[in-house]
Amino acid sequence: MNEAVVWMIIGMGIVTYIPRILPLLMLSTENWPSWLRRMLARVPYAVLGALIFPGIIFAYDAVWYGLLGGAAAFLIAYTGAPLIAVVAGTILLLTGINLMM
Amino acid sequence: METAAYMEKDDSLRRGLTAGLSIAFGYMPVAITFGLLAGSTGLTVFEAVLMSMVVFAGAAQYMALSMLAIGAGMVEIVLATFIVNFRHLLMSASIQERAEPSSKKFRALFGFFLTDEVFAVSSVKQPPISGNYILGVGLSAYSSWVGFTAAGFYTGALLPGVLQESMGIALYALFIALLVPSIKEEGRPVVVLALLGGSFHWLYQLFLDTGWAIMSATITAVIVYELVDVRRRKKR
């Protein structure tokens, strides 16, 4: 057990908990400007994009390897497969290619 | 009378628990994957389960893993968590408008469980929504999330080495899998936002630490999108 990691987890818990309860305890968002509400709603997509790029390109020594994995994940996810199937399928595909080379 | 009121309360908790089973089922693979990846990122089972118990936020927890893996600072991770989870402010506000009046203590309790999914299931109910119902939905989802984090951690140890090497792609596959349903549903805006986020991250990481780069990229992306969107709508 790493003490610094435990403190990090407690910090993550606090900053997650506060936005979840603050409005419940004291706020009405009726007065909020609509542009701010729109921007907040779009945060998850922008975050996901930032988490994928450019990391996926530099995840392996060979650029195409990560991109191939990304393309595979996209196609599997597009079929409507559950999350675990997308992740497992992508891992298995890359493992297979790894073994062949 | 008192007994009747008590029984009614009890019943909405039970109905909440049942409704929450759909989320519990949906969380199962995500939590197993989280536990598994936490192990391969170098967290102990105690740390992985503690994170699921204390934070209870899928995207932020996955993000913390990927940031730990690339050596990001702990303060950056906490701040990035704040940015990612700030959106719950709106959901909490929407619940607040439609929930049955209850004590502040009780709202502080069920508010802990307000993930996107718990919010979605709870908020489709006709108002006033019972606090006990939200608590029930939350507890179902939470049990699954925490329990399967531990389960996933131990199944991860059974994996052979070749497979582990390919697992570097897992987080990226997961993020893509989280995006695709939204792309199918809402189309262009989601793609544009993700591309903006990715492009600004690419730019910022040249001169910023990863955590700050992700946050700055996210904020820039939503601001740029809003500005362009407003201009486009004015032109019409």
Side-chain angles (χ1 to χ4, degrees):
Chain A
M1 176 185 120
N2 180 336
E3 203 181 309
V5 172
V6 172
W7 282 113
M8 179 194 79
I9 291 168
I10 292 169
M12 287 173 70
I14 293 170
V15 299
T16 301
Y17 185 49
I18 289 173
R20 278 180 184 169
I21 58 156
L22 211 59
L24 274 173
L25 296 186
M26 50 184 57
L27 202 89
S28 76
T29 52
E30 287 144 25
N31 310 326
W32 281 30
S34 59
W35 56 267
L36 187 56
R37 298 168 77 166
R38 276 199 305 271
M39 277 166 56
L40 279 174
R42 290 171 187 149
V43 159
Y45 306 130
V47 166
L48 282 169
L51 288 171
I52 295 167
F53 292 108
I56 194 165
I57 290 165
F58 303 123
Y60 296 95
D61 292 339
V63 170
W64 64 267
Y65 197 69
L67 287 178
L68 182 75
F74 188 92
L75 290 175
I76 300 170
Y78 207 83
T79 66
L83 289 174
I84 192 84
V86 177
V87 174
T90 308
I91 291 171
L92 285 176
L93 185 85
L94 287 195
T95 305
I97 291 171
N98 211 348
L99 288 174
M100 280 189 291
M101 288 192 323
Chain B
M1 277 305 278
E2 265 179 29
T3 319
Y6 176 76
M7 279 176 68
E8 205 178 306
K9 244 184 170 180
D10 227 23
D11 185 52
S12 62
L13 179 68
R14 192 186 52 76
R15 281 185 294 116
L17 285 166
T18 311
L21 284 180
S22 63
I23 307 177
F25 191 74
Y27 276 178
M28 188 173 82
V30 192
I32 287 177
T33 312
F34 173 75
L36 192 150
L37 291 173
S40 64
T41 307
L43 292 189
T44 64
V45 66
F46 171 78
E47 290 162 349
V49 172
L50 185 73
M51 194 186 282
S52 284
M53 286 177 74
V54 172
V55 185
F56 189 39
Q61 290 180 225
Y62 276 107
M63 187 188 61
L65 289 188
S66 66
M67 288 177 78
L68 279 174
I70 52 179
M74 309 254 167
V75 175
E76 290 170 63
I77 295 176
V78 172
L79 277 169
T81 302
F82 179 69
I83 296 278
V84 172
N85 287 336
F86 194 67
R87 66 182 191 280
H88 292 134
L89 208 65
L90 278 178
M91 301 180 194
S92 174
S94 144
I95 288 281
Q96 163 68 356
E97 281 169 5
R98 308 173 57 195
E100 222 170 60
S102 56
S103 73
K104 279 202 170 187
K105 250 187 210 167
F106 190 61
R107 278 179 280 159
L109 173 67
F110 72 67
F112 174 81
F113 300 99
L114 273 189
T115 62
D116 298 353
E117 295 79 12
V118 170
F119 167 75
V121 169
S122 305
S123 62
V124 292
K125 288 266 295 177
Q126 281 294 322
I129 308 160
S130 146
N132 272 309
Y133 180 81
I134 303 170
L135 183 65
V137 174
L139 283 173
S140 269
Y142 186 70
S143 316
S144 161
W145 183 248
V146 174
F148 284 111
T149 296
F153 190 95
Y154 288 113
T155 54
L158 304 173
L159 290 175
V162 194
L163 209 63
Q164 293 233 350
E165 198 184 313
S166 315
M167 277 187 45
I169 198 71
L171 282 172
Y172 298 109
L174 183 92
F175 293 139
I176 291 169
L178 287 171
L179 263 183
V180 167
S182 305
I183 291 175
K184 279 167 85 173
E185 216 167 279
E186 296 172 50
R188 200 164 152 272
V190 175
V191 178
V192 172
L193 279 162
L195 287 178
L196 282 174
S199 308
F200 282 117
H201 185 211
W202 203 324
L203 177 68
Y204 290 153
Q205 52 98 34
L206 296 173
F207 52 92
L208 286 177
D209 284 339
T210 308
W212 304 106
I214 290 176
M215 273 188 290
S216 315
T218 302
I219 294 167
T220 316
V222 294
I223 289 174
V224 167
Y225 187 94
E226 174 65 18
L227 292 177
V228 172
D229 198 43
V230 165
R231 272 188 70 158
R232 214 185 42 188
R233 269 182 288 166
K234 271 186 188 154
K235 270 184 192 163
R236 265 182 212 155

